[in-house]
Amino acid sequence: MRYLITTALAYTNGPLHLGHARSTYIPADIMYKYLKLRGEDVIHVGGTDNHGVPITLTAEKEGKSPEEIVEKYHNEIKEDLDLLGVEFDAFGKTHSQIHIETAQEFYLKLKENGYIYEKEIEQFYCPKCKKFLPDRYVEGICPYCGGEARGDHCEVCGRHLEPFELKNPYCVICKGTPEIRKTKHYFFKLSALKNELEEYVKNAKEMPEHVKNMALNWIKELHDWDISRDISWGVPIPGTNQVMYVWLEAPIGYISFSKMLGDIWKKYWLEKDTKIYHFIGKDITVHHAVFWPGMLIAHKGFNLPTAVISGGYLTLEGRKMSTSKRWVVWVKDFVKNFDADYLRYYLVMSAPLFKDCDFSFDDFKNKINNELINIIGNFTHRVLTFTHRKFKKVPIVDENRLKEEDKALLKKCEETIKAVDKNIRSFKFRDALVNILHLAIDGNAYFQRMEPWAVKDEERLKEILYTCCKTVKTLIYLLYPYMPKKALALLELMNEELDLNLRGNELKKPKIIFKKVEDKKIEEMKKKLYKNDKNENNNKTAEGEKMEQIDITYLEKIDLRVGEVVEAEDIPKSKKLLKLIVDLGDEKRQIVSGIKDYYKPEELVGKKVIVVCNLKPAKLCGVLSEGMILAAEDDEGNVVLLTVDKDIKAGSKVR
């Protein structure tokens, strides 16, 4: 069996932050390093996604060419990955000749197979700029919440939008008012692949269950896919003046970047007996589990993904990460202050890969100091220090002559190797790391129980230290995919090779490999983070003082009333939303609210809340919401509901 591991192509509009590392690159690198360690035929292919509207917008705003923007961030992203110890066999970029040619060949094959057709659509056109405007080139007012919004998304209420839904739309380049014109676009017949996609997903045995469920839900209502854009930056569609939509051409990068390795790329994409693992972030699951396999099925020439491994979101100190609000920790900044292997350990150990989790500086310090160093660091240092002092090298003994307590620990080593293998191959990276930690705990307990410092019989002492060193070697071997630098540093002290054998070589003088995380460094990083956030809030205040003042009549348009929550329950498909039934006196309304992180359903029943009653109904996560309850949020991300300080009947107007 051969393996092809890919990682989501990083978008070249900025460097990497901790969320990217946690969801995608560290898990993929663990899998890659582990399979190589086991002698498997495996390659890791990655790179950067360089096309699309955000790149052209950034270039126009900064007065640079798209190529300059792409080159800058492509290099920064690769530097970030190098700092994390993430290895690739091929690392390319979509703005390269090999990719452009591969993408165009792929497109022509789709067309030849009857999956591309032309259709006339309506689109915004800017008369002043003399060009059609893709969705992100149009901004305006959200029709739902009144906030400022892009043509595809409202940053305020989070709703997906179409450009024509915006009120007072304008071109982001010239600020002029666009007009609607007809234009020809090219579409991919995704809807024609419903049966094939459904069969593929259902039969993908290694596909994680949550990915399967999400994909199957999307497949129920497949629509054809507009795959052309009226801009100049991108992969040109042959025979037209348009370029390919990035979600058509970017995944083809997995193939084109593989071609950088020469003819061996064909083994992984064309021959059977290959497993393809795509490691991605949760937000692009559907693209990789539905759209991309659909393209491959329509092409009829390449292997399909074996599994799409979709990592959960990472929050920061209890709040959603935001680059625009400067609530973010960049990989480069973190690794300047702390060991990259500590970050790899912490991000894996914090939660299973498929679950969302939070990064906390204090928790990071405690997990490294009290868990990694006190258990694994302590055991490996004690064993190597004591063995060096007594014998200068690892004593080699006949395992058949060992005592039962010695054999029990060596059996635990063998069991751990098997458990780690099973868990890593099932993408349970945290479970495998817990297996390793438990082996170190057992090793520590054995060392303490055997009291080697009190053993007078030299042969017995050799047996004990052999058992301990064998356990240390097992730990090094299993830790390598997770913490490559620390594992190799321990291996250097043992004067050994990266395998499970003990050769009895001379030990090097022991030194501390696992150094504690200092409180001072933690406080410096926290101070910097909160300072950036404070500056951002100050900037917002300054902007707020310049905001247009409103007339009292504007406020009178909002119908605010006191409501009493009579029912509350989870919405199973959502991690943030609760469904509430609110009594407004003369009627009851169903309201969906994103407060699951802050309130349990049972806490809400009987609570008096403030409701916006004349908000246009909308569906959130497929559930109808007929209003909005008001809440306050402080700088620390704490959320509390607005209520009344004295009891008053439901339905009372707020004035």
Side-chain angles (χ1 to χ4, degrees):
M1 182 63 66
R2 65 182 67 87
Y3 297 84
L4 167 61
I5 293 172
T6 76
T7 34
L9 307 187
Y11 200 59
T12 45
N13 63 344
L16 299 182
H17 57 62
L18 299 191
H20 298 126
R22 189 260 171 176
S23 69
T24 304
Y25 299 105
I26 290 174
D29 190 61
I30 291 169
M31 177 65 85
Y32 174 65
K33 282 182 166 67
Y34 180 75
L35 292 174
K36 281 187 73 174
L37 196 62
R38 302 294 290 180
E40 304 277 10
D41 180 351
V42 57
I43 60 171
H44 182 192
V45 172
T48 57
D49 178 4
N50 313 135
H51 296 135
V53 173
I55 299 294
T56 59
L57 281 174
T58 301
E60 288 175 5
K61 288 177 181 177
E62 294 186 14
K64 297 179 180 177
S65 68
E67 288 89 348
E68 288 177 296
I69 299 296
V70 163
E71 196 63 29
K72 174 187 176 186
Y73 288 119
H74 173 85
N75 293 334
E76 285 191 22
I77 288 164
K78 186 59 171 68
E79 288 171 9
D80 289 341
L81 292 167
D82 289 343
L83 288 171
L84 289 172
V86 177
E87 297 178 88
F88 294 89
D89 293 286
F91 191 82
K93 52 185 176 182
T94 57
H95 192 64
S96 61
Q97 196 60 36
I98 194 168
H99 175 74
I100 291 170
E101 290 175 359
T102 302
Q104 289 178 329
E105 289 169 5
F106 197 106
Y107 172 87
L108 290 172
K109 188 65 176 177
L110 294 180
K111 187 175 181 181
E112 179 187 323
N113 290 346
Y115 286 95
I116 301 291
Y117 66 91
E118 190 179 290
K119 178 182 174 182
E120 191 172 65
I121 66 167
E122 290 185 333
Q123 190 174 352
F124 273 131
Y125 180 86
C126 179
K128 188 174 180 180
C129 295
K130 291 183 171 54
K131 64 182 178 182
F132 283 98
L133 302 177
D135 46 22
R136 291 200 183 189
Y137 270 76
V138 184
E139 292 183 0
I141 303 300
C142 175
Y144 299 100
C145 71
E148 293 187 6
R150 299 190 317 234
D152 62 343
H153 178 77
C154 177
E155 292 286 354
V156 180
C157 69
R159 282 181 172 85
H160 171 77
L161 298 173
E162 295 296 332
F164 295 150
E165 292 184 86
L166 293 175
K167 295 180 179 179
N168 304 323
Y170 62 89
C171 169
V172 298
I173 302 302
C174 70
K175 309 304 179 186
T177 302
E179 57 189 41
I180 297 174
R181 290 191 185 182
K182 291 184 177 180
T183 180
K184 289 182 180 179
H185 271 220
Y186 295 88
F187 284 75
F188 173 54
K189 288 184 183 178
L190 187 63
S191 62
L193 297 163
K194 181 176 180 178
N195 293 336
E196 291 97 324
L197 279 168
E198 194 171 64
E199 184 180 358
Y200 156 70
V201 173
K202 286 181 177 178
N203 293 324
K205 296 179 181 178
E206 294 187 49
M207 191 79 77
E209 205 60 33
H210 72 288
V211 175
K212 274 192 175 186
N213 293 336
M214 189 182 295
L216 290 172
N217 282 335
W218 269 80
I219 291 169
K220 288 176 185 176
E221 297 185 21
L222 278 184
H223 300 287
D224 290 350
W225 199 18
D226 185 346
I227 50 88
S228 59
R229 292 295 183 268
D230 293 293
I231 57 176
S232 58
W233 178 249
V235 175
I237 295 177
T240 77
N241 60 355
Q242 295 176 322
V243 300
M244 296 180 198
Y245 176 43
V246 289
W247 274 114
L248 181 81
E249 57 102 349
I252 300 170
Y254 300 138
I255 298 171
S256 63
F257 299 167
S258 300
K259 290 182 177 181
M260 295 166 63
L261 299 173
D263 284 344
I264 67 164
W265 76 271
K266 295 176 182 176
K267 289 198 307 179
Y268 302 94
W269 282 106
L270 305 180
E271 297 178 12
K272 302 306 175 187
D273 245 13
T274 298
K275 291 187 178 184
I276 299 175
Y277 294 148
H278 293 314
F279 283 82
I280 60 165
K282 185 163 66 173
D283 56 329
I284 54 174
T285 301
V286 172
H287 301 83
H288 284 78
V290 179
F291 300 162
W292 173 232
M295 291 165 56
L296 292 168
I297 291 169
H299 185 282
K300 301 177 182 177
F302 298 108
N303 292 327
L304 290 170
T306 308
V308 174
I309 302 96
S310 167
Y313 295 127
L314 182 72
T315 54
L316 176 59
E317 298 288 354
R319 292 166 54 185
K320 181 181 178 182
M321 271 200 272
S322 171
T323 56
S324 62
K325 296 178 181 177
R326 303 175 71 186
W327 189 254
V328 67
V329 176
W330 304 109
V331 165
K332 192 168 294 181
D333 289 341
F334 190 91
V335 176
K336 280 180 185 175
N337 291 277
F338 305 106
D339 197 302
D341 275 9
Y342 286 176
L343 179 64
R344 291 172 67 109
Y345 178 92
Y346 177 77
L347 291 178
V348 173
M349 193 59 97
S350 293
L353 177 61
F354 303 146
K355 301 287 186 182
D356 296 345
C357 71
D358 183 62
F359 182 92
S360 158
F361 278 104
D362 289 334
D363 188 49
F364 166 73
K365 178 191 71 175
N366 292 334
K367 242 183 177 52
I368 297 303
N369 291 349
N370 301 333
E371 185 176 281
L372 174 63
I373 295 177
N374 278 1
I375 298 173
I376 295 177
N378 181 49
F379 174 63
T380 54
H381 185 70
R382 289 174 81 188
V383 169
L384 296 181
T385 300
F386 195 86
T387 306
H388 181 268
R389 186 167 72 246
K390 287 293 182 180
F391 298 112
K392 302 298 181 188
K393 64 180 181 179
V394 176
I396 301 299
V397 301
D398 182 355
E399 287 191 11
N400 293 319
R401 300 180 62 181
L402 295 177
K403 302 281 191 282
E404 287 305 312
E405 56 263 39
D406 310 332
K407 291 179 179 178
L409 184 56
L410 295 185
K411 183 181 179 183
K412 176 69 175 182
C413 289
E414 293 171 2
E415 291 170 349
T416 302
I417 291 167
K418 292 177 182 177
V420 167
D421 185 77
K422 181 180 178 181
N423 282 325
I424 287 183
R425 291 179 189 271
S426 302
F427 318 121
K428 296 177 181 177
F429 302 106
R430 183 182 185 275
D431 289 355
L433 191 51
V434 169
N435 295 145
I436 297 168
L437 188 68
H438 285 172
L439 177 60
I441 291 171
D442 288 351
N444 262 320
Y446 171 87
F447 189 88
Q448 198 66 28
R449 193 168 61 252
M450 293 300 104
E451 298 182 338
W453 54 88
V455 175
K456 303 299 182 185
D457 183 338
E458 186 172 292
E459 290 306 310
R460 179 58 189 147
L461 183 57
K462 286 181 178 180
E463 292 172 351
I464 292 170
L465 293 182
Y466 169 84
T467 303
C468 288
C469 287
K470 184 81 170 177
T471 306
V472 169
K473 188 74 189 292
T474 303
L475 286 170
I476 292 171
Y477 180 84
L478 296 176
L479 270 177
Y480 172 74
Y482 291 89
M483 307 180 70
K485 291 180 182 177
K486 294 296 183 189
L488 292 178
L490 286 170
L491 199 65
E492 175 72 14
L493 293 182
M494 292 194 80
N495 194 19
E496 276 282 2
E497 296 176 23
L498 191 55
D499 55 25
L500 290 166
N501 300 322
L502 277 181
R503 297 167 178 81
N505 295 336
E506 294 285 332
L507 293 171
K508 295 191 176 180
K509 185 177 180 181
K511 60 182 178 180
I512 295 175
I513 300 299
F514 296 90
K515 295 180 180 178
K516 288 204 168 189
V517 173
E518 299 175 7
D519 290 346
K520 181 182 176 183
K521 284 287 185 184
I522 291 290
E523 292 308 313
E524 286 175 359
M525 289 293 286
K526 286 167 66 176
K527 185 177 179 181
K528 180 179 179 181
L529 175 65
Y530 282 97
K531 181 181 178 182
N532 286 341
D533 184 53
K534 184 178 179 182
N535 288 340
E536 179 65 24
N537 288 331
N538 287 340
N539 291 337
K540 281 187 174 180
T541 302
E543 291 169 8
E545 292 171 354
K546 298 174 185 177
M547 288 177 64
E548 179 185 356
Q549 293 183 331
I550 64 170
D551 189 86
I552 187 69
T553 56
Y554 185 90
L555 188 60
E556 288 172 350
K557 294 178 182 179
I558 305 173
D559 186 0
L560 298 175
R561 302 193 183 211
V562 176
E564 181 177 354
V565 180
V566 293
E567 295 179 32
E569 62 182 75
D570 285 344
I571 295 177
K573 293 180 181 179
S574 172
K575 294 185 178 295
K576 303 290 184 183
L577 302 177
L578 293 177
K579 183 175 75 174
L580 313 177
I581 303 298
V582 181
D583 184 0
L584 293 169
D586 56 354
E587 64 171 318
K588 291 181 180 178
R589 296 267 192 98
Q590 177 174 286
I591 296 176
V592 177
S593 181
I595 55 173
K596 189 185 287 189
D597 286 344
Y598 312 101
Y599 291 92
K600 296 178 180 177
E602 57 269 24
E603 293 180 284
L604 296 168
V605 176
K607 189 178 286 291
K608 295 284 180 71
V609 293
I610 308 302
V611 181
V612 181
C613 292
N614 59 341
L615 192 67
K616 184 178 178 181
K619 280 192 175 182
L620 302 176
C621 211
V623 180
L624 183 67
S625 182
E626 303 171 295
M628 177 189 291
I629 60 174
L630 299 184
E633 181 178 6
D634 65 16
D635 294 344
E636 305 299 320
N638 300 308
V639 171
V640 295
L641 293 174
L642 298 191
T643 184
V644 289
D645 69 346
K646 293 182 182 179
D647 194 28
I648 192 169
K649 69 178 183 179
S652 299
K653 291 204 72 171
V654 178
R655 303 183 185 278

